[in-house]
Amino acid sequence: MALRGLAGSGPGSRGPLGQAGAADEEREAPAVVAAGDAPEDVEEDEGRSRGLLRWDGFSAWLHCVCVVGFDLELGQAVEVIYPQHSKLTDKEKTNICYLSFPDSNSGCLGDTQFCFRFRQSSGRRVSLHCLLDQFEKDLPVYLKVGKKDPAYFYGYVYFRQVRDKTLKRGYFQKSLVLISKLPYIHFFHTVLKQIAPEYFEKNEPYLEAACNDVDRWPAPMPGKTLHLPIMGVVMKVRIPTCHDKPGTTQIVQLTQQGDTHISVILPTVHEVDLFRCFCPVFLHSQMLWELVLLGEPLVVMAPSPSESSETVLALVNCISPLKYFSDFRPYFTIHDSEFKEYTTRTQAPPSVILGVTNPFFAKTLQHWPHIIRIGDLKPAGEIPKQVKVKKLKNLKTLDSKPGVYSSYKPYLNRDEEIMKQLQKGVQQKRPSEAQSVILRRYFLELTQSFIIPLERYVASLMPLQKSISPWKSPPQLRQFLPEEFMKTLEKTGPQLTSRIKGDWIGLYRHFLKSPNFDGWFKTRRKEMTQKLEALHLEALCEEDLLHWTQKHTEVETVDLVLKLKNKLLQADREHLPVKPDTMEKLRTHIDAIILALPEDLQGILLKTGMT
């Protein structure tokens, strides 16, 4: 493996954008302009007027684009990084090199698409955080990147391996890789389908022009229909919001007259074909749902990176709208920087889902408690034989038959009704998309039945509104008491919304010790604390603060002004759920109090913080 020609090799090294790239851009422009004033043009201008710099538009979607080739002497090598100023540490480059190629045993001829995920190097400064924070607050929790989590990059790969007698090795092997913090799997795979095949023919000038197009995209704003031009094609997408009803996909329709220039419409940005991935194991899908919910260590052994990455992403997706808070690696190799950490036998396997293809893992990970071994995923319409749950001791080599290798005993009884429905669909050759809708709805109802009692109990920890006083700090949330919660299940448990029987209480007890509960509860506690802060601000606004200052000393009044300014800063910084008129009222209060003070104090206070 080598890192050569990083950002400055080949045609890509001529200035910010080569002349060929500019020519490409000029040539492609009419495809977008022909439709009249396309919305993206207006939004581009808005972006520039907000003070965005060159490549800021690009950085909102992608960190960089890499080209990874194969060198006979050096192995995998990063040939190009775009834009050229993009920063990657040596460790990150090494991870990208190894994760961008399938293992040699996969035998992937032709074009292959897959996804990987790796840790960012510590100490990295995230670009455009202020801008992206505004959009984060409106995202569903399972799509949030999270500033305080260990930061990860996703790599979206389009790998081509074809015979080429002119090369010493006899094969052309190259990957085009999009590196992004955004978990928009379906979207980025679609982007690669549009640009990668042509890139392999036209090389760097084409890549420059494509990156230039991305830089002109509007920001990835949730809930807004976005028009994204890329090399003569315009994609129409909508990123979901936290306000969308779970389980519904607001499919973007061709309704407007000006939509005649749209080439690709994406019904989802992040979802995978759930049934295709669960197809070989759908009889055990409820057990797998439990394992993911509880954050159990899980390995997917697959014949290729496509199958491994799709299956891992489907597993993480199956507990939606809950977020999977542990680590997951759609494609993991023996060269990964966390290989030793995750395969050590000196401690229990970590809470992580790994997707692997190398035969070596059959031995290295045989001590893991839950292993899914899958064969080739069949095209839509073809159904593989259903695998069985087997004891772990039967998994010795890569030749082991497909199956779920685990000694886990599910807490809940299997929902036979949904299994019959899916089996009937298989017999009737129901399309995979329709089967995915059934399976997704089933997982959603199961997750909601499980989480509603927790939501109801956590809501009861909120202090009453009448206990909020403008002259005291906001009250604290009551403590979460597991036994108190368990007592609520008798009357308001999942039996109210689910027909599934079993040991629900045992499942809850296990869940309360899991990373997923920890992550979920921290998120809910933060939301509720912010709500209390917002209610406290509203209570302050209803007071006659000017009247209060007339009864107090100048020192106390100045102290109040500084505290109120801090409250405004906090509301803005933490995106507190405060009504806009509340903020305006508070500013008016502050201005009125300052103007009632002596002139020397007015000057000082007007310069301090915000007004």
Side-chain angles (χ1 to χ4, degrees):
M1 194 286 301
L3 312 168
R4 61 181 167 80
L6 290 178
S9 67
S13 60
R14 296 190 306 269
L17 272 179
Q19 290 175 342
D24 261 11
E25 180 194 332
E26 226 170 81
R27 188 182 69 248
E28 297 297 344
V32 180
V33 178
D37 289 325
E40 60 274 8
D41 296 332
V42 179
E43 289 171 88
E44 181 202 338
D45 292 339
E46 283 175 7
R48 299 286 178 252
S49 68
R50 284 198 307 267
L52 296 187
L53 303 172
R54 179 105 171 97
W55 296 117
D56 276 0
F58 179 94
S59 299
W61 291 89
L62 292 168
H63 178 72
C64 64
V65 179
C66 297
V67 179
V68 181
F70 191 88
D71 186 288
L72 263 181
E73 293 173 11
L74 305 170
Q76 279 108 294
V78 174
E79 296 178 347
V80 177
I81 297 178
Y82 236 89
Q84 293 159 10
H85 63 266
S86 303
K87 301 268 192 303
L88 288 172
T89 66
D90 286 346
K91 188 178 179 183
E92 288 167 345
K93 289 168 194 165
T94 303
N95 273 329
I96 290 166
C97 271
Y98 284 119
L99 290 166
S100 298
F101 271 45
D103 278 317
S104 53
N105 67 293
S106 298
C108 300
L109 265 178
D111 291 356
T112 306
Q113 282 192 263
F114 58 94
C115 162
F116 60 82
R117 186 172 181 262
F118 65 100
R119 272 186 207 159
Q120 288 185 31
S121 296
S122 56
R124 169 182 288 286
R125 289 186 65 188
V126 180
S127 59
L128 284 186
H129 236 321
C130 299
L131 180 66
L132 294 180
D133 272 357
Q134 297 167 21
F135 310 132
E136 277 268 298
K137 69 184 171 71
D138 292 324
L139 282 170
V141 67
Y142 53 87
L143 289 181
K144 286 186 178 181
V145 174
K147 280 189 290 185
K148 291 182 182 174
D149 303 339
Y152 290 87
F153 276 133
Y154 285 83
Y156 301 99
V157 182
Y158 195 106
F159 170 71
R160 174 168 288 184
Q161 177 168 267
V162 290
R163 292 184 191 280
D164 188 338
K165 290 177 184 176
T166 64
L167 298 174
K168 268 188 187 179
R169 193 176 167 84
Y171 286 95
F172 169 89
Q173 292 174 307
K174 196 164 280 197
S175 285
L176 183 62
V177 190
L178 307 181
I179 304 294
S180 176
K181 283 199 76 172
L182 303 177
Y184 301 159
I185 295 103
H186 184 64
F187 169 73
F188 285 118
H189 279 331
T190 306
V191 170
L192 278 169
K193 269 181 200 165
Q194 298 300 327
I195 64 170
E198 210 163 339
Y199 162 72
F200 290 126
E201 305 298 323
K202 296 181 179 175
N203 298 321
E204 273 69 40
Y206 183 86
L207 188 60
E208 293 181 55
C211 290
N212 211 12
D213 277 348
V214 175
D215 189 43
R216 294 202 305 268
W217 286 358
M221 190 177 286
K224 194 170 182 182
T225 300
L226 304 172
H227 298 77
L228 311 174
I230 183 95
M231 302 311 285
V233 170
V234 180
M235 297 185 296
K236 189 174 180 182
V237 301
R238 180 187 179 275
I239 296 165
T241 78
C242 54
H243 311 296
D244 294 350
K245 187 180 173 186
T248 59
T249 303
Q250 298 200 12
I251 296 175
V252 179
Q253 302 282 351
L254 274 175
T255 49
Q256 300 165 8
Q257 216 171 358
D259 276 356
T260 49
H261 66 293
I262 302 296
S263 317
V264 180
I265 300 173
L266 270 67
T268 175
V269 291
H270 66 284
E271 290 171 350
V272 294
D273 187 338
L274 208 57
F275 186 72
R276 182 169 174 266
C277 301
F278 271 94
C279 195
V281 291
F282 78 78
L283 289 176
H284 316 299
S285 49
Q286 192 168 300
M287 181 179 102
L288 295 174
W289 173 85
E290 283 190 26
L291 291 174
V292 175
L293 179 78
L294 300 173
E296 285 286 309
L298 196 55
V299 185
V300 175
M301 294 187 176
S304 79
S306 294
E307 274 103 358
S308 93
S309 63
E310 280 189 38
T311 307
V312 168
L313 292 165
L315 286 166
V316 168
N317 201 243
C318 80
I319 62 167
S320 179
L322 264 183
K323 179 176 180 176
Y324 180 77
F325 279 92
S326 294
D327 191 8
F328 60 95
R329 304 299 176 92
Y331 176 50
F332 190 75
T333 76
I334 59 173
H335 304 289
D336 197 287
S337 49
E338 276 78 60
F339 174 75
K340 282 184 182 174
E341 178 189 334
Y342 284 169
T343 57
T344 179
R345 288 172 182 255
T346 57
Q347 58 194 50
S351 173
V352 62
I353 302 177
L354 297 181
V356 302
T357 62
N358 193 315
F360 183 69
F361 283 108
K363 285 185 179 178
T364 316
L365 298 177
Q366 62 181 241
H367 64 294
W368 278 47
H370 320 290
I371 296 171
I372 305 170
R373 179 101 184 80
I374 56 172
D376 291 309
L377 290 184
K378 305 291 181 187
E382 289 183 49
I383 304 301
K385 185 181 173 187
Q386 284 299 291
V387 301
K388 295 179 178 177
V389 175
K390 305 170 186 182
K391 294 283 185 258
L392 273 164
K393 64 179 193 298
N394 297 334
L395 183 70
K396 298 233 173 89
T397 67
L398 187 76
D399 302 327
S400 302
K401 290 181 180 175
V404 179
Y405 293 82
S406 174
S407 303
Y408 178 79
K409 188 176 181 296
Y411 287 97
L412 305 181
N413 303 336
R414 192 161 73 182
D415 187 339
E416 297 297 344
E417 201 173 306
I418 196 79
M419 294 308 141
K420 283 176 189 170
Q421 198 178 345
L422 290 167
Q423 280 176 310
K424 190 178 177 184
V426 168
Q427 289 156 6
Q428 295 176 345
K429 299 195 171 161
R430 189 186 289 143
S432 180
E433 294 83 5
Q435 293 278 79
S436 281
V437 169
I438 295 167
L439 193 55
R440 200 178 296 281
R441 191 187 309 124
Y442 158 67
F443 281 139
L444 174 68
E445 288 171 2
L446 194 52
T447 304
Q448 285 184 319
S449 292
F450 181 79
I451 211 70
I452 284 169
L454 276 162
E455 289 280 8
R456 192 181 286 118
Y457 173 70
V458 167
S460 76
L461 305 179
M462 187 86 163
L464 296 173
Q465 192 160 347
K466 65 182 180 185
S467 67
I468 297 170
S469 161
W471 306 113
K472 292 179 186 174
S473 295
Q476 300 290 304
L477 295 173
R478 282 199 310 115
Q479 194 181 351
F480 186 107
L481 301 171
E483 290 310 313
E484 186 179 65
F485 163 66
M486 293 298 170
K487 285 175 188 170
T488 68
L489 295 175
E490 191 179 340
K491 289 184 180 176
T492 57
Q495 70 275 10
L496 296 180
T497 51
S498 177
R499 60 174 176 260
I500 297 170
K501 308 291 182 191
D503 183 10
W504 284 97
I505 287 178
L507 185 62
Y508 280 114
R509 285 194 191 282
H510 195 152
F511 178 71
L512 294 183
K513 297 171 188 168
S514 75
N516 285 333
F517 169 72
D518 190 49
W520 173 81
F521 183 60
K522 278 179 181 168
T523 304
R524 292 293 290 115
R525 188 170 56 198
K526 183 183 174 187
E527 288 168 358
M528 291 163 74
T529 304
Q530 288 185 333
K531 180 67 179 168
L532 283 171
E533 290 285 356
L535 290 170
H536 187 245
L537 263 181
E538 283 170 26
L540 269 170
C541 284
E542 297 309 313
E543 290 292 308
D544 187 345
L545 298 178
L546 192 59
H547 180 69
W548 180 91
T549 60
Q550 290 163 5
K551 298 179 180 179
H552 291 76
T553 64
E554 271 185 17
V555 172
E556 288 171 314
T557 302
V558 169
D559 188 50
L560 175 68
V561 170
L562 294 174
K563 281 180 178 172
L564 291 175
K565 287 193 173 199
N566 278 335
K567 282 274 184 190
L568 279 177
L569 282 167
Q570 181 194 10
D572 192 54
R573 184 178 62 248
E574 296 180 13
H575 307 295
L576 295 184
V578 182
K579 297 168 193 165
D581 63 324
T582 300
M583 300 284 276
E584 205 44 56
K585 269 187 196 174
L586 203 55
R587 286 190 186 97
T588 307
H589 277 313
I590 292 170
D591 289 343
I593 295 168
I594 291 175
L595 289 172
L597 288 167
E599 276 189 26
D600 57 334
L601 280 175
Q602 283 184 35
I604 294 166
L605 288 173
L606 285 168
K607 288 174 189 172
T608 309
M610 59 191 289
T611 56

